[in-house]
Amino acid sequence: MRARAFLASVLAVALVLSGCAGPDHTIAPAGAPQPVESTTAPTPSPHPTVAKPPLRPLPAKLPAGLRRNSGVRPVVLTFDDGPNPTWTPKVLDQLRAAKVTATFCVVGREVQRHPELVRRIVHEGHQLCNHSWRHDLDLARRPVNEIKADLKRTNRAIQAAAPGAKVSFYRQPGGRWTPEVLAVAKGLGMRPLHWSVDPQDWDKPNAATIGKRIHTAARPGAIVLLHDGGGDRAATLAACPHLIADLKKRFGITKLR
């Protein structure tokens, strides 16, 4: 028995020395393939995603310093979200027929798409207002450098469409103002333009409802919010002749000063 044990021990040592033991020091069967170390580089781990800064909360009430009145008895008409090739020319036709002017709060990417309409707005004596690049409702809550880049990009598009055109006002999409966006707009030479009459034509009420809401809410010096872009504005267009005549008779219609 001792002789057998001695022989087994000698055999095991011989197998280890001959390379037949596996890497975990177990005995590999004779003729088994030996593991080959991989030469493939490990897959790099993906770069960590950089978290975007959280949006600032909106203030509980509108900040001070917003333009909400013309400062004189006549009212001001404003049209947002254009220029639009379907609705803006028809609104301009109606304003020309009524011999009144308005302020067009234009969206930068629409300006880039339809520069000829911006030129017509300026040529016919209307005012321009920066209304952000893409109508971002949360723009005023974003970092200040993003706000500034957006407003400057929009102004550049306006100047490319109508060189030398004055852009004296900025209107925050949705009226969702913060002190930060007011400061940026003022730093770029634009006054913050709000409104005092909103018939909510963006919600597509019929023309009679739009006219009635404006007639009821209008006061001397009112700034009226309407839309010539951002969707189907057939009802707004249908309401314009009557509401323009009504406001012109009761108060007069003027430009912003």
Side-chain angles (χ1 to χ4, degrees), residues 32-116:
Q34 298 303 304
V36 179
E37 184 177 352
S38 173
T39 58
T40 305
T43 304
S45 59
H47 295 294
T49 303
V50 179
K52 291 185 177 181
L55 297 175
R56 282 185 301 275
L58 288 171
K61 60 182 182 178
L62 289 174
L66 299 177
R67 184 73 180 272
R68 305 178 71 177
N69 191 281
S70 70
V72 292
R73 180 175 177 79
V75 304
V76 171
L77 296 176
T78 65
F79 291 89
D80 283 17
D81 300 355
N84 178 276
T86 299
W87 308 112
T88 304
K90 296 174 183 177
V91 169
L92 288 168
D93 290 345
Q94 292 192 359
L95 295 172
R96 183 169 56 189
K99 297 181 181 178
V100 297
T101 55
T103 301
F104 286 82
C105 300
V106 294
V107 174
R109 61 183 179 183
E110 300 305 321
V111 168
Q112 191 175 64
R113 290 169 181 159
H114 311 291
E116 73 287 350

Side-chain angles (χ1 to χ4, degrees), residues 211 214-216 218 240-253:
I214 293 175
H215 178 85
T216 301
C240 275
H242 176 75
L243 72 86
I244 290 172
D246 177 59
L247 293 174
K248 191 175 179 183
K249 179 179 179 181
R250 293 166 65 200
F251 309 108
I253 295 175

Side-chain angles (χ1 to χ4, degrees), residues 79-155:
F79 291 89
D80 283 17
D81 300 355
N84 178 276
T86 299
W87 308 112
T88 304
K90 296 174 183 177
V91 169
L92 288 168
D93 290 345
Q94 292 192 359
L95 295 172
R96 183 169 56 189
K99 297 181 181 178
V100 297
T101 55
T103 301
F104 286 82
C105 300
V106 294
V107 174
R109 61 183 179 183
E110 300 305 321
V111 168
Q112 191 175 64
R113 290 169 181 159
H114 311 291
E116 73 287 350
L117 293 178
V118 179
R119 288 191 287 273
R120 181 178 170 188
I121 288 169
V122 173
H123 179 71
E124 297 187 6
H126 306 287
Q127 293 175 307
L128 292 174
C129 169
N130 183 320
H131 196 34
S132 83
W133 179 256
R134 60 181 180 88
H135 202 270
D136 179 4
L137 292 172
D138 287 323
L139 178 62
R141 304 172 64 199
R142 300 192 187 281
V144 167
N145 62 330
E146 289 187 29
I147 298 172
K148 184 178 291 187
D150 186 293
L151 270 58
K152 290 176 74 173
R153 184 182 185 186
T154 303
N155 278 347

Side-chain angles (χ1 to χ4, degrees), residues 1-12:
M1 292 293 292
R2 290 180 180 177
R4 290 179 181 175
F6 176 78
L7 288 173
S9 299
V10 171
L11 179 61

